[in-house]
Amino acid sequence: MNSSTLPPDLYCVMGNPVAHSRSPAIHARFAELTGQHLRYERRLIALDGFAQGVRDFIAEGGRGCNITVPFKFEAPALASVCSERVRLAGAANVLSFAADGSIHADNTDGLGLVADITRNAGVALQGARLLLVGAGGAAAGVLGPLLQAGVRHITIANRTVAKAEALVASHSALAALQKAELLALAPQALEGDFDVIINATASSLAGDAVPVPASVLRPGSLAYDMMYGPAAQGFLDWAQAHGAVARDGLGMLVEQAAEAFAIWRGVRPPSAQVLEELRRAPH
C-alpha cells in the first residue's frame, strides 16, 4: 500500500478563539510544497477543557498540535518532555504525540520572531537595543530566543511591573550568559528610544491605545506587532505616524509554523515563499 492510499496524518491548532487562525492554510501549503501527506484542522477548545481536548485529539490519531491563546501556559503540564525553550518561557505552542504515548512540548514562537526580523525583514538583532511591550505568554515565549540572537539590551515594559520583573528574574541567568542587559519598567517610566520595539500585547485587538509613549520610536526604528491583519493595524498606524518601520506578525506566524512542521515531519518547508504568497493573496 503506498502512502497516498493511507489516511493523512492528523494535526491541528487548538485555541479559543481559533476561527481566525491562518495556520491550516499555512500547513496545507507546507505539505503541498514538501510532499507530506497530512491534514491540519482548527479545534475550538472550551476554556476549561484543554487537557480533555488534547486527550480527545490523541484518541482520534492526532500526531501533533499547535497551541494558541489562551492555553500556552497549560500545555507544558501535559508533556512528558519539555524543551529548554518551554522550561524558560513556562509556555508551549507545539505538542508532538509519540507512538509510545509520550507528549513532547516545544515553543517555536521566539524562533519564528527572530527568523522573521533577521531573515525576512533584514534587520540585525546583534547588538540592538530592544523594547518588549507586555509580559504575558507572548512575551515569555520570545524573550529567550531574542537574548540568544545577541540583543544587547532589552527593556520589558508592562502595566503590572511585577509581571515584567518576574520575566527578568526567570531570564537573568541567560541574560548574564549572553552579556545582555535586562530591565523591567512601567510604560510611563520609559526613557530614550530603541532600535526595535515589539508589541507582545493584544492592545490593538482590544481597541486600546498603544501602551507606550511615542518617544520610544525614532525614524527607522523597527516597530513590530506580534499580531497580524486587522488586529495589528492600530499599532502599525501609530508606528508609521512617528516615522518607524512598521511590520506585523504574519512572518512570525509562518516562521514559527515552519519550525513546528520541521519538528513533526523532519522536513524544513520553504517559509519565505509561503510568506510571500500570503502577503500577495487578497484578504
Side-chain angles (χ1 to χ4, degrees):
M1 187 184 288
N2 68 47
S3 63
S4 64
T5 62
L6 292 169
D9 293 334
L10 182 61
Y11 298 88
C12 77
V13 56
M14 292 186 180
N16 188 333
V18 80
H20 67 285
S21 176
R22 299 180 77 170
S23 294
I26 291 167
H27 282 277
R29 186 65 176 136
F30 286 168
E32 190 177 17
L33 291 168
T34 57
Q36 296 290 305
H37 190 47
L38 62 85
R39 188 169 95 246
Y40 188 107
E41 305 173 342
R42 293 182 188 89
R43 293 280 173 112
L44 177 66
I45 304 296
L47 292 175
D48 61 353
F50 176 64
Q52 188 59 50
V54 171
R55 285 193 291 269
D56 291 346
F57 187 66
I58 293 171
E60 290 173 42
R63 299 281 297 272
C65 64
N66 286 123
I67 312 299
T68 187
V69 174
F71 301 119
K72 290 183 184 183
F73 284 115
E74 290 183 52
L78 301 182
S80 331
V81 181
C82 290
S83 73
E84 184 56 37
R85 287 187 290 268
V86 170
R87 286 195 287 272
L88 197 56
N93 74 323
V94 180
L95 295 179
S96 307
F97 310 125
D100 65 2
S102 63
I103 298 176
H104 295 243
D106 209 333
N107 194 318
T108 63
D109 282 336
L111 300 178
L113 175 67
V114 168
D116 189 46
I117 290 174
T118 57
R119 290 208 300 263
N120 300 327
V123 173
L125 287 172
Q126 186 75 38
R129 179 175 156 80
L130 187 145
L131 173 63
L132 183 60
V133 185
V142 301
L143 184 53
L146 285 169
L147 287 166
Q148 288 167 328
V151 174
R152 172 176 59 89
H153 170 100
I154 299 178
T155 293
I156 305 168
N158 197 60
R159 272 176 279 205
T160 308
V161 182
K163 285 187 74 176
E165 288 171 342
L167 264 189
V168 167
S170 62
H171 287 73
S172 59
L174 178 59
L177 191 66
Q178 297 294 131
K179 297 181 171 57
E181 189 179 14
L182 201 49
L183 192 61
L185 286 175
Q188 62 270 25
L190 288 166
E191 291 182 357
D193 53 29
F194 295 83
D195 302 309
V196 180
I197 299 93
I198 296 171
N199 186 22
T201 74
S203 60
S204 300
L205 190 62
D208 296 340
V210 174
V212 291
S215 58
V216 302
L217 299 171
R218 64 167 178 270
S221 297
L222 175 67
Y224 192 107
D225 198 312
M226 286 167 59
M227 298 280 191
Y228 58 91
Q233 203 55 53
F235 180 84
L236 301 184
D237 291 345
W238 168 80
Q240 286 172 327
H242 293 91
V245 177
R247 186 175 182 86
D248 74 1
L250 185 62
M252 175 183 171
L253 178 73
V254 172
E255 294 293 351
Q256 66 79 24
E259 294 286 347
F261 192 92
I263 289 168
W264 291 330
R265 310 302 295 183
V267 178
R268 176 154 292 283
S271 51
Q273 176 188 335
V274 174
L275 175 58
E276 188 182 339
E277 291 171 359
L278 284 173
R279 293 268 190 221
R280 285 201 313 257
H283 295 303

